[in-house]
Amino acid sequence: MDVIVRRGDSLWYYSQLFHLNLQLILDSNRELQPNQLSIGQRIRIPGFVAQDYQVQPGDSLWSIARNRNLPLDAVLLVNQNINPNQLQVGQMIKVPIRITWRLVQGRQFYDYTKMMRDIRQLQSVYPFMQVSTIGESVLGNDIPELLIGNGTKRIHYNASFHANEWITTPVLMTFINDYLLSLTNQNLIRGIVTSRLYEQTSLSIVPMVNPDGVSLVINGPPEAEPWRSRVVELNRGRTDFSDWKANIRGVDLNDQFPAKWEEERARNPDEPGPRDYGGERPLSEPEAVAMAELTRRRDFARVLAFHTQGRVIYWGYENLEPPESEIIVNEFARVSGYEPVKTIESWAGYKDWFIQDWRRPGFTVELGRGVNPLPLTQFDEIYQDVLGIFLAGLYM
Ligand SMILES: [Zn+2]
């Protein structure tokens, strides 16, 4: 919601008026000088919308404000053009509404278009969340990154490296929505004061690393040639793409990283296809390049990559991980019931490369159980299990 600065207003005053953490208002208006507001300037107030309201018989601005648990001045602020003493029945005014509900509906077939719509909506209601693009997929879809928090501890979460594990995207988007809601409404999540997480950490999220692959699994092959014929051929003539993990060129993005890539390549298919093909060389695919460049640029203290399935958390790589990885994974296991597994015979994954090059904690979290793509009936159970990991990833 936007408001227009009046004589004597300050961001501090707005934080009192709307019961919002001042930092969230500051971070929603990064381009302005907080101590030099000028009259008529537009300020974004996070976590609120201004709703149209038609004045009913017996209404006053005072009663309208009181019925919504708002100070009178909050209603006056968004109705600067009306005379509060001459309210007419039938007149349209604005009323600030505190958003206390989720905007993201995660329990559905959740493709790239849905995700982008949700990101735009979240960004407009919660402008302290920053959105940028880390690169483009093979088909030219922007790969978005979301940033939440002001802290010095830089943490990264990603989802949908693998196309048929797309349920990880709505699970992660639901967490983002719940985190944003708890920040503006000052609610606890599982007893945790999230404003402290916001102060201490800076959370980077790439909710869909592989948009083209996810579209393939959910919506089928693209209309446009040559891609349509090409992917059907890579899928051995089948038009059912439910076991497709790779990007649109048939390269498995989580076998693309320079961490024993040759070993991984040697034991895997040597041609493009639905899964496990590591590409002609490490980082040959734009989605993997975007992730590698982001990771180098941001200098993360810790990364979590979300996959399905198995209810396990991989936390080691060639004994290069730091001792704190084990402490963190034990907390993840405690809060989720998932099983920590140090290593399996597997290389060239994103978390492998992160541990190898930075010697910092990296995790692959395998959500749920069953056959990929996991059914949406598992959504709520998965979310309840992994919520503890999302939080522990920030507070540990
Ligand atoms: Zn996976």
Side-chain angles (χ1 to χ4, degrees):
M1 175 180 84
D2 287 0
V3 300
I4 307 289
V5 174
R6 304 165 302 185
R7 186 176 305 281
D9 283 354
S10 66
L11 297 188
W12 171 248
Y13 177 67
Y14 294 153
S15 85
Q16 300 296 299
L17 201 56
F18 294 106
H19 282 273
L20 279 170
N21 185 326
L22 176 60
Q23 193 61 50
L24 297 180
I25 300 183
L26 288 167
D27 292 348
S28 296
N29 297 279
R30 284 171 205 272
E31 70 288 357
L32 56 85
Q33 301 288 327
N35 298 319
Q36 294 178 358
L37 296 191
S38 44
I39 294 166
Q41 198 168 11
R42 194 171 284 274
I43 303 292
R44 287 183 283 271
I45 303 293
F48 280 81
V49 283
Q51 218 170 51
D52 290 324
Y53 176 77
Q54 191 168 31
V55 174
Q56 306 293 310
D59 275 347
S60 65
L61 287 189
W62 184 82
S63 70
I64 289 166
R66 188 196 50 192
N67 289 341
R68 287 161 185 79
N69 259 322
L70 292 165
L72 174 61
D73 200 34
V75 180
L76 292 173
L77 178 62
V78 298
N79 291 285
Q80 295 181 34
N81 51 342
I82 69 164
N83 182 342
N85 300 316
Q86 290 185 353
L87 214 53
Q88 310 282 328
V89 172
Q91 188 180 353
M92 296 304 293
I93 63 165
K94 296 277 183 196
V95 179
I97 305 284
R98 176 182 284 277
I99 296 195
T100 56
W101 58 91
R102 281 181 186 160
L103 303 173
V104 173
Q105 303 304 324
R107 198 180 158 155
Q108 59 174 319
F109 288 92
Y110 199 87
D111 63 8
Y112 179 74
T113 311
K114 279 210 178 73
M115 177 188 74
M116 293 307 280
R117 196 181 308 145
D118 280 347
I119 289 174
R120 277 192 292 274
Q121 220 192 341
L122 289 174
Q123 196 188 14
S124 89
V125 175
Y126 303 101
F128 56 87
M129 177 180 85
Q130 296 170 271
V131 181
S132 59
T133 296
I134 64 165
E136 279 185 4
S137 68
V138 170
L139 294 184
N141 290 308
D142 286 341
I143 303 170
E145 182 208 20
L146 319 179
L147 268 179
I148 306 171
N150 246 324
T152 50
K153 196 160 133 195
R154 289 180 297 277
I155 292 167
H156 172 75
Y157 295 171
N158 64 60
S160 290
F161 249 99
H162 284 145
N164 66 350
E165 303 173 13
W166 59 261
I167 199 170
T168 53
T169 296
V171 167
L172 186 50
M173 289 295 295
T174 301
F175 170 67
I176 293 161
N177 198 162
D178 285 357
Y179 185 26
L180 295 168
L181 265 174
S182 83
L183 289 169
T184 54
N185 295 324
Q186 298 170 50
N187 298 331
L188 308 181
I189 307 182
R190 297 226 171 134
I192 290 159
V193 180
T194 54
S195 59
R196 211 165 293 153
L197 303 179
Y198 187 88
E199 283 160 25
Q200 291 168 354
T201 66
S202 164
L203 175 60
S204 149
I205 305 132
V206 176
M208 194 181 282
V209 176
N210 182 8
D212 303 346
V214 170
S215 298
L216 198 53
V217 172
I218 294 183
N219 304 319
E223 297 291 325
E225 295 291 2
W227 290 109
R228 191 179 182 85
S229 314
R230 200 176 291 174
V231 291
V232 172
E233 195 190 319
L234 291 178
N235 203 27
R236 282 146 211 132
R238 296 172 307 142
T239 49
D240 175 4
F241 286 85
S242 54
D243 64 355
W244 189 277
K245 290 172 78 179
N247 76 348
I248 198 89
R249 283 204 287 237
V251 179
D252 192 316
L253 298 174
N254 208 34
D255 278 323
Q256 267 271 289
F257 288 84
K260 295 206 167 181
W261 178 85
E262 291 77 8
E263 280 89 331
E264 183 71 8
R265 173 80 203 259
R267 67 183 200 116
N268 274 333
D270 54 8
E271 283 187 341
R275 54 184 295 163
D276 302 329
Y277 171 63
E280 283 175 16
R281 58 180 192 282
L283 301 179
S284 62
E285 301 307 295
E287 299 90 349
V289 171
M291 286 303 298
E293 285 176 351
L294 172 77
T295 306
R296 291 193 188 106
R297 192 165 70 237
R298 293 256 190 260
D299 193 29
F300 298 125
R302 172 184 309 164
V303 303
L304 279 72
F306 292 92
H307 289 248
T308 61
Q309 37 77 25
R311 305 186 89 243
V312 295
I313 310 162
Y314 299 108
W315 58 278
Y317 179 73
E318 306 280 313
N319 291 313
L320 298 174
E321 69 286 349
E324 89 178 281
S325 293
E326 187 166 13
I327 298 164
I328 296 168
V329 83
N330 286 335
E331 178 68 0
F332 290 169
R334 185 184 75 80
V335 296
S336 64
Y338 284 18
E339 185 197 348
V341 175
K342 191 169 179 188
T343 41
I344 45 162
E345 288 277 286
S346 168
W347 303 284
Y350 173 74
K351 82 111 173 55
D352 303 331
W353 171 72
F354 181 77
I355 293 172
Q356 171 196 273
D357 277 23
W358 280 269
R359 309 291 163 102
R360 294 176 189 162
F363 305 91
T364 298
V365 185
E366 299 279 357
L367 309 183
R369 230 197 291 270
V371 178
N372 289 332
L374 292 183
L376 282 164
T377 50
Q378 279 199 30
F379 184 89
D380 296 326
E381 187 190 331
I382 289 175
Y383 187 69
Q384 287 311 315
D385 288 344
V386 78
L387 176 57
I389 298 179
F390 288 140
L391 293 165
L394 293 170
Y395 68 68
M396 280 295 285

